[in-house]
Amino acid sequence: MTTAEWARHWAQTWRSAWPAGDVEAIAALHAPYGDHWAGIGRCHRGRDGLRAYLSDCFDAYTRAAEVWFAEPVVTGQTASVEYWAIVHPGGVARTVAGCTVLLFGPEGLVVEARDYSHAEPGAIRPPARRFLADHLRPSVEALRRAYPDGVPDADRLPLLAALHDEFSDRNLAAVVAAFLGGDPLRVANDAAGDRPSPDQVARVRARLEASERSADGEHGDSGEDHDRAERDPA
């Protein structure tokens, strides 16, 4: 697996385990000897230290946390993951937003995590464009299959045009920005600009369809057509 895949797995695990209070699922992501820094000067040593820290946090919650995680930004063996959470320690709503910088070892376990966060009183939901909705994630994966080496410049605008009929403007910007690792606002501006030629759009659409057929052939028909219809609910 790659650093990007390890980081996505880390985020996906936190996304489900934090609301569930599943200390062990999160601890299993961490190397036994790794350090978890929770802010300045608070270092939790090894997997056991992380367990103790998480247990103290989760035991204080009186209801399940609401959490959001962004697409990881990866450089070499390091990844940064932005997150947002609404928690209720002692029954009082509190919003925490931050970013965790992760260093992965050769087996995909976190050998060092440095968490930087800011908290505000009350339940404050994140801006709509900040985090990708779960029902859009399969679309990002489909783009990765179609363009495993990234999108060449010649395909960027045709790709936006080819996807335009499948998504609202907001969701189109969110999906493509998550795939490219860019800014949704910039993607939205590009999508609203000059439209590429029909031939360019048809070429890109054919590539997307061929990739989807290949994925269906590898995994069998798992209701992809139905999933596509559900991606962008009104």
Side-chain angles (χ1 to χ4, degrees):
M1 295 176 68
T2 65
T3 302
E5 290 170 326
W6 292 333
R8 290 187 199 108
H9 175 64
W10 182 92
Q12 289 164 1
T13 300
W14 267 89
R15 189 180 296 115
S16 59
W18 192 347
D22 190 344
V23 171
E24 290 304 317
I26 296 173
L29 300 169
H30 209 71
Y33 55 85
D35 292 336
H36 181 93
W37 290 84
I40 298 174
R42 290 191 298 158
C43 181
H44 304 282
R45 299 291 184 183
R47 191 177 284 169
D48 288 340
L50 177 60
R51 279 195 187 98
Y53 166 63
L54 293 173
S55 294
D56 287 345
C57 293
F58 293 168
D59 287 348
Y61 297 163
T62 58
R63 57 188 289 186
E66 292 183 78
V67 301
W68 296 261
F69 283 82
E71 181 73 6
V73 178
V74 176
T75 303
Q77 293 295 108
T78 302
S80 300
V81 185
E82 184 183 7
Y83 66 88
W84 191 291
I86 299 173
V87 297
H88 294 79
V92 179
R94 191 167 181 80
T95 300
V96 183
C99 181
T100 303
V101 181
L102 304 163
L103 175 62
F104 290 93
E107 296 181 352
L109 297 176
V110 177
V111 297
E112 184 177 68
R114 301 190 305 275
D115 185 68
Y116 305 92
S117 64
H118 175 76
E120 291 282 351
I124 308 167
R125 301 185 72 81
R129 294 182 177 179
R130 183 71 58 84
F131 298 96
L132 190 66
D134 286 345
H135 74 278
L136 296 176
R137 295 182 185 280
S139 301
V140 178
E141 295 305 317
L143 291 177
R144 289 198 180 102
R145 289 193 298 270
Y147 287 96
D149 298 319
V151 180
D153 290 343
D155 282 11
R156 183 182 175 94
L157 292 181
L159 176 63
L160 294 174
L163 296 174
H164 188 268
D165 292 339
E166 296 190 35
F167 299 98
S168 66
D169 291 344
R170 183 186 68 184
N171 285 346
L172 172 63
V175 166
V176 176
F179 169 52
L180 297 176
D183 181 356
L185 290 177
R186 180 179 176 183
V187 173
N189 287 338
D190 289 345
D194 295 337
R195 188 172 179 85
S197 72
D199 287 346
Q200 291 175 310
V201 176
R203 173 175 51 79
V204 168
R205 186 174 285 122
R207 178 169 182 160
L208 296 174
E209 292 172 350
S211 174
E212 190 167 325
R213 287 195 300 271
S214 176
D216 287 345
E218 290 178 5
H219 304 295
D221 184 5
S222 58
E224 179 72 8
D225 289 341
H226 175 72
D227 289 344
R228 288 180 64 194
E230 292 288 323
R231 286 177 193 163
D232 206 21

